[in-house]
Amino acid sequence: SVSGVGETWFDIKGYEVAQGRGIEYMDIVNRKKVCVVGSYVAQTCFGGNAVGQSLKVGGTTFSIVGVMAQEAEQMEEGGTDDCVYVPYSTAARLSFTGTISSYTVTVTDEEYAALGKEAIETALYKIFQDEDAYTVVSMAEMLDTMTSMVNMVIAILAAIAGISLLVGGIGIMNIMLVSVTERTREIGIRKAIGAERKSIIAQFLIEACMICGIGGLFGIAAGYIGTLIVGKLSFKMILWPSPSVAVGSFFISVALGVIFGLYPAIKASGLQPVDALRAD
């Protein structure tokens, strides 16, 4: 991307110039054909020695006066390091419009963002006398909007996950109830020779936890493989899920076995030995 910027742009955005210099005030006043390039452009096109070289943009030759420090962890085409910055006065002339498309204003503290926006809107209204002639966007408001949208998506995904866990838990409970029915005679024999209720409950809870735990491990493995595939195809990079999330998912699976396996276990422990031994 090629952008026309002012001399304070790099300070406002917090960008660092690693080689050479940035855009200066006299570059803008004299409409000089100079530019600052990103580290990807410097490395790919000039082998890391871009300062003093020439670069053609739209048929116009620019002299490279600076190279920005690397912003992204991995440099790639179209990324944040694949950029060229020129004086905005030069860019306005080359665009054949001679106008500036936008202004960026920064405040000393985030708390003043709303006041700053109000002050700018007031000043612009005095000039244009029409609210439709301009648009003032606050990054703080955009961040709040995006945060609310992300929270909504998280809530929806959490609801879907909760429903999935509920359905899966009911399935585990049904499996355990069937297991209790099929092993009624075994339970009766154990109780007849002196097995306590807590040992019967522990037996079926351990079985339910093992089923859910093994299922959780398969799910975690599928998640890791899916993340690797999506990362490689969509972002062309290797992505790994957080280990803490994987461990947490496993323990949630085990806890699901305890919760939904408790009723079948209690039902099994409550069987009378005579009735259990009489069952087929």
Side-chain angles (χ1 to χ4, degrees):
S1 61
V2 181
S3 304
V5 300
E7 70 276 13
T8 59
W9 172 257
F10 297 99
D11 292 332
I12 289 176
K13 300 295 288 185
Y15 293 156
E16 180 184 351
V17 178
Q19 301 176 24
R21 64 174 178 85
I23 302 296
E24 296 180 348
Y25 176 73
M26 293 309 298
D27 296 333
I28 298 170
V29 172
N30 297 325
R31 296 183 178 179
K32 290 185 177 180
K33 295 177 181 178
V34 296
C35 67
V36 177
V37 299
S39 54
Y40 176 82
V41 178
Q43 190 66 38
T44 304
C45 301
F46 303 98
N49 299 314
V51 177
Q53 303 288 340
S54 297
L55 179 70
K56 234 174 207 185
V57 179
T60 303
T61 302
F62 287 84
S63 177
I64 301 175
V65 295
V67 177
M68 290 176 55
Q70 183 175 335
E71 293 289 326
E73 293 183 1
Q74 294 183 347
M75 294 188 297
E76 59 183 351
E77 184 178 355
T80 55
D81 296 299
D82 185 11
C83 55
V84 177
Y85 294 102
V86 302
Y88 70 83
S89 56
T90 306
R93 183 175 63 181
L94 294 177
S95 65
F96 303 106
T97 61
T99 59
I100 309 302
S101 60
S102 63
Y103 290 86
T104 301
V105 180
T106 185
V107 292
T108 56
D109 195 294
E110 186 181 347
E111 296 179 356
Y112 302 138
L115 293 174
K117 179 183 177 183
E118 184 179 348
I120 294 171
E121 288 176 337
T122 302
L124 291 175
Y125 185 78
K126 289 180 180 178
I127 297 173
F128 295 102
Q129 297 295 317
D130 184 6
E131 293 181 354
D132 296 329
Y134 56 87
T135 301
V136 182
V137 180
S138 169
M139 297 303 295
E141 292 180 355
M142 291 180 62
L143 181 60
D144 291 339
T145 303
M146 291 181 63
T147 301
S148 62
M149 291 176 62
V150 169
N151 290 337
M152 184 180 298
V153 171
I154 290 174
I156 293 173
L157 292 177
I160 294 173
I163 294 171
S164 301
L165 289 175
L166 179 62
V167 172
I170 293 173
I172 292 297
M173 186 169 62
N174 288 335
I175 291 173
M176 295 308 300
L177 287 172
V178 171
S179 177
V180 169
T181 303
E182 292 179 346
R183 297 160 66 182
T184 301
R185 190 173 183 83
E186 174 194 334
I187 297 169
I189 293 173
R190 289 195 62 192
K191 295 197 73 174
I193 61 177
E196 299 179 354
R197 291 193 62 179
K198 61 182 181 181
S199 63
I200 303 294
I201 292 175
Q203 174 188 347
F204 283 92
L205 281 181
I206 291 172
E207 183 177 340
C209 290
M210 287 185 62
I211 293 173
C212 289
I214 293 172
L217 290 176
F218 276 107
I220 292 170
Y224 267 82
I225 295 172
T227 303
L228 287 173
I229 293 174
V230 171
K232 203 69 176 176
L233 295 179
S234 301
F235 305 102
K236 296 180 180 179
M237 58 188 301
I238 298 175
L239 299 177
W240 290 99
S242 171
S244 59
V245 172
V247 173
S249 301
F250 175 76
F251 281 110
I252 289 175
S253 301
V254 175
L256 198 68
V258 174
I259 294 171
F260 287 92
L262 190 60
Y263 171 69
I266 293 174
K267 183 178 180 181
S269 67
L271 290 174
Q272 295 299 322
V274 176
D275 297 332
L277 290 171
R278 192 182 300 163
D280 292 332

